[in-house]
């Protein structure tokens, strides 16, 4: 769609300013122009006016996204597309506009990247569903952000947003080229949206709203599901139903130009003390938690029983330990304990706030890695044996019990 088809776009300057304040608190990575927030902020008002002026005239055109790679849990690399700061602001303007109009249309069990919805709520819904349904389909979509079909995406946007200027900008962002790490430019050929763009999550939610949520609600009204972006769990009454639904999902994904990642998709039995069946797969993972049968002690009579519980997954336990081991220059004896606390406290708040809800005991074992690293650091700094270093750490806790967040709330 050409900008000549759009004479004026009803965007107020305040919307651009609000978008600026929203995105500047997020990622700091620069786009292909290498402009940092420090550079932008020197003449922020002028830059925001230029963005607003171009957006309202329909003449705003995004730059290419800068490709970066991050390591995934399976050892493979995930490719992200980092837009320029100005493109992030422009995307936030349109994303906020779209959100006000379409968020209420989304399914109640769609939790990812939505106002008043959270990963914690999604986890709680999965826990509740596991009490009601015996079987789970743990489903993974293959290369979802890379495979989103542009024509279907534009059709979904046009169905819920009637303002042509919104579709115009969405189309431009879908077509943003990618500056590869090697310096070459890659152009999209009718599919994919950069994972890392501000507008990508709402576009992904809209795509899967029609591709999955609406479809499964109509096709299989007796099952339940929980979706967080492209991470999906489907709850079924029987193994036969789960197999039927999974086959149906395969067909549906093909219809919307997507595919299931078969090696990461499984049907699992929700085994606990009430469910006596013996099946090979009794475990599934969702949003960093492992759901599986574990021994628990009754609060009434102290007897052991089998419960289906959520705990921080093994892969995320490993990730947290690695973050602790690599989060400091532990051999640097010039630093002080306060420096270590400053480095880790924001991470500790996040880890405990999320994983500590259902996995306090397991998380405590993981965080003991930090205690051991501090003891080792004290040994090196003060030339102490392990026993004396432990005693010194105990004394430090007594003197400043709120120095580390996990000390403050009684984890150690």
């Amino acid at each position: 769609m050409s900008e000549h088809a759009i004479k004026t776009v009803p965007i107020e300057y305040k919307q651009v300013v609000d978008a600026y304040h929203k995105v500047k608190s997020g990622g700091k990575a620069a786009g292909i122009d290498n402009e940092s927030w420090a550079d932008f902020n020197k003449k922020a008002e002028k830059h925001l006016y230029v963005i607003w002026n171009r957006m309202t005239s329909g003449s705003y055109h995004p730059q290419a996204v800068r490709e970066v790679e991050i390591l995934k849990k399976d050892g493979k690399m995930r490719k992200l597309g980092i837009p320029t700061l100005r493109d992030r602001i422009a995307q936030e303007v349109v994303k906020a506009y779209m959100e006000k109009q379409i968020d209420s249309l989304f399914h109640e069990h769609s939790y990812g990247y939505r106002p008043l919805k959270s990963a914690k709520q999604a986890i709680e819904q999965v826990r509740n569903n596991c009490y009601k349904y015996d079987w789970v389909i743990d489903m993974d979509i293959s290369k979802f952000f890379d495979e989103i079909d542009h024509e279907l995406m534009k059709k979904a946007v046009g169905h819920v947003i009637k303002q042509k200027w919104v579709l115009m900008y969405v189309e431009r962002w879908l077509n943003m080229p990618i500056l590869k790490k090697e310096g070459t430019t890659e152009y999209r050929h009718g599919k994919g949206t950069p994972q890392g763009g501000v507008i990508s999550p709402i576009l992904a939610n809209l795509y899967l709203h029609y591709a999955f949520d609406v479809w499964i609600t109509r096709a299989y009204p007796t099952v339940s599901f929980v979706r967080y972006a492209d991470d999906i769990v489907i709850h079924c009454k029987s193994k036969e139903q789960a197999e039927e639904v999974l086959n149906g999902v395969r067909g549906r994904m093909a219809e919307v130009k997507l595919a299931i990642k078969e090696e990461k998709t499984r049907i699992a039995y929700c085994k606990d003390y009430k469910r006596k069946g013996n099946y090979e797969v009794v475990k599934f993972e969702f949003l960093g938690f492992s759901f599986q049968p574990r021994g628990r002690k009754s609060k009434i009579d102290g007897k052991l029983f089998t419960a289906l519980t959520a705990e921080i997954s093994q892969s995320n336990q490993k990730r947290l330990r690695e973050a602790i081991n690599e989060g400091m220059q532990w051999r640097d004896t010039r630093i002080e304990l306060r420096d270590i606390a400053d480095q880790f406290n924001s991470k500790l708040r996040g880890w405990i706030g999320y994983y500590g809800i259902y996995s306090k005991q397991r998380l405590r074992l993981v965080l003991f890695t930090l205690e051991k690293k501090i003891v080792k650091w004290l040994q090196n700094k003060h030339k102490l044996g392990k026993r004396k270093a432990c005693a010194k750490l105990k004394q430090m806790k007594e003197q400043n019990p709120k120095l580390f967040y996990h000390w403050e709330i009684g984890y150690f």
Side-chain angles (χ1 to χ4, degrees), residues 205-250:
N205 269 338
L206 182 58
Y207 197 93
L208 284 175
H209 172 70
Y210 290 111
F212 180 81
D213 301 357
V214 172
W215 169 81
I216 198 168
T217 303
R218 291 174 179 169
Y220 301 99
T222 61
V223 307
S224 185
F225 74 92
V226 176
R227 182 172 69 78
Y228 192 94
D230 60 330
D231 205 344
I232 304 171
V233 169
I234 307 170
H235 301 265
C236 302
K237 291 291 187 181
S238 67
K239 185 179 182 182
E240 292 73 25
Q241 185 185 47
E243 290 170 344
E244 178 189 347
V245 171
L246 182 53
N247 281 329
V249 170
R250 286 190 181 101

Side-chain angles (χ1 to χ4, degrees), residues 27-120:
K28 295 179 173 60
I32 63 168
D33 59 0
N34 292 317
E35 184 177 39
S36 67
W37 283 118
D39 297 330
F40 187 94
N41 291 339
K42 290 175 184 176
K43 295 183 178 180
E45 189 172 344
K46 176 184 175 182
H47 298 325
L48 293 174
Y49 181 83
V50 171
I51 294 170
W52 171 68
N53 187 272
R54 290 179 179 171
M55 290 194 77
T56 54
S57 66
S59 62
Y60 187 92
H61 288 269
Q63 293 183 268
V65 296
R66 181 173 63 86
E67 183 181 81
V68 298
E69 293 182 340
I70 60 172
L71 188 65
K72 297 197 295 184
K73 294 177 187 176
D74 59 8
K76 297 179 181 178
M77 302 303 292
R78 172 181 283 123
K79 294 179 180 179
L80 301 180
I82 307 300
T84 65
L85 305 187
R86 296 164 194 247
D87 285 336
R88 274 178 248 177
I89 293 168
Q91 286 187 27
E92 175 60 32
V93 171
V94 178
K95 176 235 173 187
Y97 183 89
M98 290 179 66
E99 202 166 63
K100 288 179 181 178
Q101 294 199 48
I102 68 175
D103 185 74
S104 62
L105 302 176
F106 291 153
H107 195 281
E108 63 176 328
H109 291 162
S110 167
Y111 292 91
Y113 308 107
R114 294 181 58 194
L116 306 179
K117 294 280 190 176
S118 69
K120 291 180 185 178

